[in-house]
Amino acid sequence: MTTPLSSPPLCSDLHDTEAPGGEDRARPAAELAALQRAADAGEAAAAWVRELAGRQSEEEHAGLLERAAEAIVRASGREVVPGSDGLLAEELRYTLAADVVLGASHTTGTRPGLHPGERMPLITVCAIAAALPSCVLGDLAAELTALAAELTTATEAGRLATASGDARVLPVRKPRTLGHEHGDPLDRLAYRRVAESAAESFEIALHYQGGRGEKACAEALHNALAAAGGGIAAAALLRVADDPALGLDLEQWEHLHRIAAELDLRVVEDLGGANGDGAADPARPRPA
């Protein structure tokens, strides 16, 4: 292939190239932007792979992953040479092969320490990086932009699997209900609000039912549960969203918080500290 550039073909390196006839030709802005996106995506992917390398207990596995990270940087940067034959150097093709997930198993007898869900993104990241140089043979700007986006998506999937795997090794926390006696002040604040809303609904319903008989109590209890249900569900959703074992990304976390706010905004505010620190009881509303 054409001799690789000494540095990634970004910005000033590609503003002008020499055409065969000796005429200057400006590199299209779209191609420059695509080259930059590919390089950025490669750097981000390599950073994740280096994190995997840093987690290894076997030096051989760590070394192979480090070399894979460097190969990703090269394949997404200075190996993407407009006007070249689009072929990736053999050493890089070998380094980015799918058996990167096997590490140095032939010498160590073990495989790299990877969390469930990390292997597929790792293979995908390496495969996409290895394909980037071939984009120079087609519509460079469009193809490189598309593959760079897929490389970013694969990296994000890998990071999500890493976060989930890291969370799974944390000590298991015993689930607690809203208003548990050992909860923090904000937890108790939210519980008092839900309890007072339920009590108010119960008293009002019981009053209008005449305050006597099984039917009156059942109706009052129904109203109390309806009043408390939204707040309890909102608190449960917040607990799920904040559980690190799920490894939720920001969009998923925000989605659960939005649903919780729709169920009971005041409880969400209580648990978030927007209504005080929980040191004092909120004023209890009185039934009319």
Side-chain angles (χ1 to χ4, degrees), residues 125-150:
V125 161
C126 290
I128 295 174
L132 290 174
S134 66
C135 292
V136 302
L137 302 178
D139 185 341
L140 176 61
E143 294 177 13
L144 198 58
T145 297
L147 283 185
E150 295 298 335

Side-chain angles (χ1 to χ4, degrees), residues 13 36 53 62 79 81 100-101 110 120 123 127 131-132 140 160 182 190 199 232 252 257 273:
D13 287 347
Q36 184 68 65
E79 290 292 317
V81 184
V100 65
V101 299
T110 62
M120 187 58 69
I123 293 174
L132 290 174
L140 176 61
L160 181 58
H182 299 300
I232 293 172
Q252 293 167 328
H257 274 250

Side-chain angles (χ1 to χ4, degrees), residues 31-156:
E31 290 188 5
L32 288 173
L35 289 165
Q36 184 68 65
R37 279 193 287 269
D40 290 343
E43 289 285 355
W48 171 60
V49 175
R50 290 191 186 99
E51 291 178 14
L52 301 183
R55 205 173 69 213
Q56 303 306 310
S57 57
E58 299 277 357
E59 291 185 6
E60 291 89 342
H61 293 324
L64 286 177
L65 286 168
E66 286 284 358
R67 288 193 289 276
E70 178 58 30
I72 291 170
V73 172
R74 286 182 56 187
S76 60
R78 59 179 180 268
E79 290 292 317
V80 186
V81 184
S84 73
D85 57 14
L87 297 178
L88 189 63
E90 184 177 359
E91 60 171 301
L92 297 182
R93 291 203 304 272
Y94 177 80
T95 304
L96 295 174
D99 60 2
V100 65
V101 299
L102 300 177
S105 56
H106 59 288
T107 59
T108 64
T110 62
R111 293 187 180 182
L114 298 175
H115 294 318
E118 286 181 331
R119 289 175 176 81
M120 187 58 69
L122 177 58
I123 293 174
T124 304
V125 161
C126 290
I128 295 174
L132 290 174
S134 66
C135 292
V136 302
L137 302 178
D139 185 341
L140 176 61
E143 294 177 13
L144 198 58
T145 297
L147 283 185
E150 295 298 335
L151 181 57
T152 297
T153 299
T155 302
E156 291 173 349

Side-chain angles (χ1 to χ4, degrees), residues 219-240:
E219 184 66 23
L221 181 59
H222 171 78
N223 282 20
L225 291 174
I232 293 172
L237 282 176
L238 294 187
R239 295 236 168 87
V240 169

